[in-house]
Every structure is written in structure tokens, then in C-alpha cells.
Amino acid sequence: MKKIQILGTGCPKCRKLTELAEKAADELGIAYELIKVTELDEIMRFGVMMTPGLAVDGEVKAAGRIPDVEEIKKMIA
Amino acid sequence: MAECCGGGNRLVYACSGGADVGEIADRVARKLVKTGFARPSCLAGVGGHVPGFVASATGDVVNIVIDGCSVACALKTLEQVGADMTHFVLTDMGLKKGRTPVEDAVIDRIAETIRIKSSGRVEESPASTHDGCACGGC
């Protein structure tokens, strides 16, 4: 099962990324667990200095921007 | 923790080299963070290819990169990951390597110059310094 982590404290951009990540994972038809990482200290431990961030299985794939669904699919596939 | 962010999307990096101008670069970067003009990042994180730092540098951000001298180590580090940046070299701004006192007046003057030259590339709301999120403005 893929672990998809959304790094952000809950602002609109973070929520948008959550929505797109769910859509991407659903369209891929994969089993996944979506986790919202909202604590700033934990976000910083990923090295993410600008949210929102997206990590897959613990590895940061994007930060400071909102990738589109197709790009997210490539990140989590 | 605040519900949301309110900041700009500038990240600042300094070479933080061993010479006086490297120290000034570091202190100028910290001043830009303390005054809310930019958010801090970490050149070592980028150089070490730590995924979070690389992703942050290549996101939808304005990277302000401050090198003490024309060797431009910080610039070269950011270039390795393909990051766009606004670049400043302190010796091109009138400082003399090995002959510049590391003092507040110098740091304040350089920080103000960088602030003015970097303004206008993003919305003018200052980067947030609260404990909220670190997004580029939402």
C-alpha cells in the first residue's frame, strides 16, 4: 500500500493538493493511505521549507506548489 | 497554531562562507527572515540533495541567493538542482573580501538593497513569521 503524505497545516492550497492526490490515486486504482502531516516541526523534518508538500512512501516529491493530477500520478505510480 | 498562512513565496539562501563576506551573507539572509521578507531554507540541504529541500527550491518560489564573493558557491549549489533564483554577490555590491567589517550597519544596508531589488517579483505581503503553514500565500 502506498503511503501518500500531504505536508501542510491546512490552508486552502494544502486542501487542494489533498483533493488532487486523492483523485490521482483513485484514478490509478491503487491501494493507498493518505496522511495529513500538519505539525510544522514534522513538516520541517522532511526538509520542506515551503508548503504544500507531497511525499510518497516518505520521500518528498513536490513542495511549494500544487502539481496537477497527471503529474501526481507519475509521482505515486 | 494559526489556521492559515499569510506570506510571500520567497526563500533565502546564503553561502555562509568562511570569509567576512560569507559571514555577512549569512547575517543578511537571517535579517531578511527576521524582518519577514523571506523564509529560511538551507543551502546544505540542497547541496546534500535532501528531497524536501530540493523540492522546496524548485517549487513555485522565488529563491534569493546571496553569495559573499564571485566564486558563487551558493549559486552553483542551486544550479545543480535546476532552481531559478535572484542572485546577489556582495563583492559586486561594493564589499571587499577580507577587508569588510562584519557590523550591523553593513548588514542593514545590504539587506535593504536586496529587499528593494527583490521586491516586485511576488506579492508584497511579507512572509509570515508565525507558526502557521509555510505556503506561498493562500
Side-chain angles (χ1 to χ4, degrees):
Chain A
M1 179 180 289
K2 288 280 183 186
K3 186 166 74 173
I4 300 171
Q5 291 163 298
I6 305 297
L7 315 176
T9 57
C11 73
K13 285 186 176 183
C14 305
R15 292 198 291 272
K16 181 68 177 174
L17 180 58
T18 303
E19 174 190 324
L20 295 179
E22 284 177 322
K23 182 174 171 58
D26 288 342
E27 288 184 7
L28 285 172
I30 60 168
Y32 69 95
E33 177 188 17
L34 193 138
I35 301 163
K36 295 177 184 177
V37 180
T38 58
E39 290 298 322
L40 211 52
D41 285 349
E42 194 175 349
I43 293 170
M44 299 286 273
R45 279 199 288 275
F46 281 87
V48 166
M49 309 308 286
M50 192 71 79
T51 59
L54 173 69
V56 179
D57 291 335
E59 182 173 342
V60 177
K61 300 292 186 180
R65 65 189 182 93
I66 303 175
D68 61 28
V69 170
E70 292 307 313
E71 188 178 358
I72 296 173
K73 282 182 181 177
K74 290 175 187 164
M75 292 171 175
I76 63 182
Chain B
M1 180 175 290
E3 184 178 327
C4 191
C5 63
N9 62 344
R10 304 180 187 93
L11 287 176
V12 65
Y13 304 82
C15 74
S16 305
D20 48 10
V21 287
E23 183 177 352
I24 292 169
D26 185 271
R27 290 185 56 182
V28 167
R30 292 178 190 279
K31 183 168 186 72
L32 291 172
V33 171
K34 283 177 184 166
T35 57
F37 184 72
R39 295 179 184 282
S41 191
C42 180
L43 192 67
V46 177
H49 294 272
V50 178
F53 285 103
V54 174
S56 295
T58 55
D60 185 18
V61 298
V62 174
N63 294 305
I64 298 171
V65 179
I66 308 169
D67 271 303
C69 69
S70 58
V71 179
C73 301
L75 169 88
K76 289 165 183 164
T77 303
L78 269 293
E79 280 182 342
Q80 284 183 37
V81 299
D84 293 328
M85 70 196 88
T86 301
H87 183 227
F88 297 92
V89 179
L90 300 191
T91 51
D92 290 345
M93 299 169 73
L95 303 193
K96 305 291 185 189
K97 189 174 183 177
R99 286 180 287 150
T100 302
V102 182
E103 55 190 28
D104 288 345
V106 175
I107 292 157
D108 291 348
R109 177 170 61 82
I110 295 295
E112 180 63 7
T113 300
I114 289 175
R115 191 190 65 76
I116 290 168
K117 289 187 175 181
S118 301
S119 294
R121 290 200 59 189
V122 292
E123 71 278 10
E124 277 310 296
S125 58
S128 172
T129 55
H130 62 54
D131 287 336
C133 77
C135 86
C138 54

